[in-house]
Amino acid sequence: MEYVLVDEEDDCPQLVPIPGKQNISTEQIPVTLITGYLGAGKTTLLNYILTEQHNKRIAVILNEFGEGSALEKSLSVSQAGELYEEWLELRNGCLCCSVKDNGLKAIENLMAKKGKFDYILLETTGLADPGAVASMFWVDAELGSEIYLDGIITVIDAKYGLKHLMEEKPEGLVNEAARQIALADLAIINKTDLVNEEELNQLQETVRSINGLVKIVETQKSRVDLCQVLDLHSFDSKSGARLQEKLQLVKTTRPHLDKNILTVTFEVCGSVFEEDLNIFIQVKNTLFIAKLSVNCCLCRNYQLVIFLQNLLWEKTFKNKDGLVMNVIRLKGIVSLWGKTHQVIVQGVHELYDLEETPQVWSESEPRANRLVIIGRNLDQEVLQQQFIATVLNKKNRD
Ligand SMILES: Nc1nc2c(ncn2[C@@H]2O[C@H](COP(=O)(O)OP(=O)(O)OP(=O)(O)O)[C@@H](O)[C@H]2O)c(=O)[nH]1
Ligand SMILES: [Zn+2]
């Protein structure tokens, strides 16, 4: 069942079913976001994918939208080696702020005109915040869009990557290069021909210290095995089985350069207690309801919801220096009371989502909740304690 949000009186929105939307075909097209600092090798990667790929109709969208104020921007789309241009009207001249209204619609219009693509690659500018673009695609997919977010790739310049990561930003601002790494599912360290082994190791370590979950590959001329790039299913439950193993390998990191961004992980045994209460969750974020409505049976798990809300929206968690924790990406597997299947938790900035995976908890193994959180000012101990205090039922802890 699909829902739309009807925001009647200020803060009490209601969900209303959209008639006739139930039977929408689920054949959605994956979109992969390609981020990376200026000159890292994004376009080289796109060209490589287009020439390597033979059995997919891939559309490449180059988001060359600068900071300028022009209302119309062109959208270059290349498909099967053919290049054409579309004109987009952007209200505020920046794709990340308007992708939902315009960018996505433009892509859908394009498909209506030119026939469906099998895959979409979207290159964002070196400075755009990929998190904003990513969350829009993510939410839209839940709302019945034809497109879903498959993964986020960042291309890093082996020679200048460290320098970009070390750039000091004014108080409160995140280093863009670090943020791109924090969000990524795959980091491609490109131009390895320009560095020696020691430099390469140092960069790898730094990338790993920011994002303990990201897969790192090294390339020259962005030549990477396509199965490492496409169809990653990083945001859906299809990654469930692999994810559990992967999460177990992740370690809490010590920040190397950007003092702030790091990865924190913890495991708490037991199941999250599912209160069978008809509590109306106080919601401030409309996108959140939109997402929860899709998984309505899970949202009753309000203790977990409260933990996530405190972490992502209320930002009530502080580290030991009193600095507010700020999450860029979150991933985990939780065990809900009464559910035989593992549940995936995903978060990008302030959005999060719970989804049951096809993976069943094994009878012989104790159930556990494992979270990996990437962001600023995180403290592993504090987060684990908060998780236990907020989420785990008392009965469970004793
Ligand atoms: N030495 C070396 N140069 C490379 C490699 N890969 C790409 N380049 C060069 O680096 C330059 C920038 O590559 P692009 O692919 O245009 O980088 P980009 O990230 O798309 O750059 P912007 O779109 O400006 O942000 C080009 O001149 C490439 O030929 C590599 O592995 N080694
Ligand atoms: Zn923007």
Side-chain angles (χ1 to χ4, degrees):
M1 176 68 71
E2 297 276 342
Y3 294 91
V4 282
L5 261 179
V6 179
D7 201 348
E8 287 192 329
E9 274 167 37
D10 349 304
D11 51 9
C12 199
Q14 290 177 351
L15 292 171
V16 176
I18 306 173
K21 265 221 147 189
Q22 291 92 310
N23 298 323
I24 270 183
S25 114
T26 49
E27 225 185 278
Q28 291 178 309
I29 298 139
V31 57
T32 293
L33 290 193
I34 298 176
T35 73
Y37 219 81
L38 299 167
K42 300 181 291 294
T43 305
T44 308
L45 175 66
L46 289 171
N47 288 335
Y48 173 70
I49 295 176
L50 286 176
T51 52
E52 264 312 277
Q53 240 303 324
H54 298 295
N55 49 14
K56 274 192 165 94
R57 276 160 53 93
I58 299 184
V60 171
I61 296 165
L62 303 171
N63 168 19
E64 301 287 359
F65 308 106
E67 313 297 312
S69 59
L71 283 176
E72 273 204 335
K73 298 276 178 178
S74 82
L75 178 79
S76 316
V77 176
S78 118
Q79 188 195 324
E82 205 186 310
L83 252 177
Y84 42 92
E85 221 170 13
E86 283 288 309
W87 288 90
L88 277 182
E89 219 182 280
L90 296 177
R91 259 186 242 138
N92 38 23
C94 161
L95 183 63
C96 65
C97 302
S98 48
V99 69
K100 191 185 161 90
D101 304 334
N102 301 297
L104 252 183
K105 206 171 276 165
I107 295 169
E108 285 178 348
N109 288 346
L110 202 63
M111 290 198 293
K113 253 195 292 183
K114 307 275 178 183
K116 280 213 169 176
F117 310 126
D118 300 312
Y119 213 102
I120 295 170
L121 301 170
L122 176 67
E123 176 186 338
T124 62
T125 54
L127 296 173
D129 173 9
V133 181
S135 15
M136 281 311 177
F137 276 111
W138 196 28
V139 169
D140 256 64
E142 299 276 341
L143 292 176
S145 160
E146 289 181 79
I147 297 161
Y148 74 89
L149 180 60
D150 180 71
I152 304 174
I153 296 173
T154 191
V155 185
I156 305 165
D157 188 317
K159 190 159 176 65
Y160 296 107
L162 267 184
K163 193 167 153 253
H164 298 148
L165 286 168
M166 279 192 284
E167 264 168 34
E168 288 281 344
K169 299 286 158 181
E171 252 318 285
L173 284 185
V174 188
N175 179 306
E176 279 303 330
R179 197 209 317 248
Q180 288 171 349
I181 292 171
L183 267 172
D185 301 293
L186 173 71
I188 297 177
I189 298 183
N190 187 40
K191 306 194 189 182
T192 54
D193 54 307
L194 301 179
V195 290
N196 61 36
E197 210 180 311
E198 199 188 324
E199 290 170 291
L200 190 59
N201 288 342
Q202 207 194 345
L203 179 57
Q204 272 179 345
E205 268 179 46
T206 307
V207 170
R208 179 60 67 215
S209 75
I210 293 170
N211 186 335
L213 202 52
V214 70
K215 184 177 169 99
I216 303 174
V217 297
E218 292 144 28
T219 59
Q220 289 182 14
K221 294 277 172 193
S222 304
R223 294 179 153 270
V224 56
D225 195 343
L226 292 189
C227 63
Q228 299 196 303
V229 176
L230 307 179
D231 294 313
L232 301 181
H233 289 286
S234 304
F235 289 84
D236 58 59
S237 60
K238 286 203 183 108
S239 63
R242 272 175 292 137
L243 183 63
Q244 200 195 14
E245 289 163 30
K246 210 171 144 192
L247 292 181
Q248 272 161 5
L249 300 175
V250 176
K251 301 213 165 52
T252 293
T253 61
R254 275 168 200 279
H256 265 237
L257 292 173
D258 186 290
K259 290 182 286 293
N260 295 319
I261 301 187
L262 75 156
T263 298
V264 150
T265 179
F266 59 84
E267 185 179 84
V268 173
C269 288
S271 290
V272 171
F273 190 71
E274 186 167 11
E275 286 275 351
D276 197 6
L277 282 177
N278 237 347
I279 289 184
F280 180 73
I281 305 160
Q282 277 229 316
V283 202
K284 291 191 294 188
N285 186 331
T286 51
L287 295 175
F288 165 73
I289 314 191
K291 291 197 69 68
L292 270 191
S293 67
V294 181
N295 300 297
C296 51
C297 57
L298 300 180
C299 72
R300 263 185 274 143
N301 195 284
Y302 81 107
Q303 286 155 315
L304 180 62
V305 167
I306 287 169
F307 172 81
L308 293 169
Q309 285 180 4
N310 284 343
L311 177 65
L312 302 179
W313 308 347
E314 306 289 346
K315 303 200 184 354
T316 53
F317 300 157
K318 292 183 178 156
N319 70 9
K320 290 182 182 116
D321 299 324
L323 297 169
V324 172
M325 299 194 200
N326 200 313
V327 177
I328 296 175
R329 186 93 187 245
L330 175 154
K331 216 168 208 182
I333 291 197
V334 290
S335 163
L336 299 191
W337 272 106
K339 296 269 173 222
T340 50
H341 291 249
Q342 300 181 356
V343 170
I344 257 189
V345 189
Q346 291 269 8
V348 175
H349 288 279
E350 298 188 340
L351 291 181
Y352 70 91
D353 184 32
L354 302 175
E355 192 184 347
E356 246 181 281
T357 72
Q359 203 67 19
V360 178
W361 288 105
S362 127
E363 297 264 330
S364 54
E365 258 179 302
R367 288 187 174 208
N369 307 277
R370 183 179 282 276
L371 291 189
V372 174
I373 303 168
I374 301 165
R376 294 203 290 158
N377 307 326
L378 304 181
D379 184 296
Q380 193 261 347
E381 250 173 67
V382 174
L383 279 167
Q384 180 162 359
Q385 281 162 9
Q386 287 288 354
F387 185 84
I388 293 171
T390 325
V391 164
L392 230 52
N393 185 264
K394 188 153 187 323
K395 179 173 81 186
N396 226 359
R397 271 178 274 152
D398 299 335

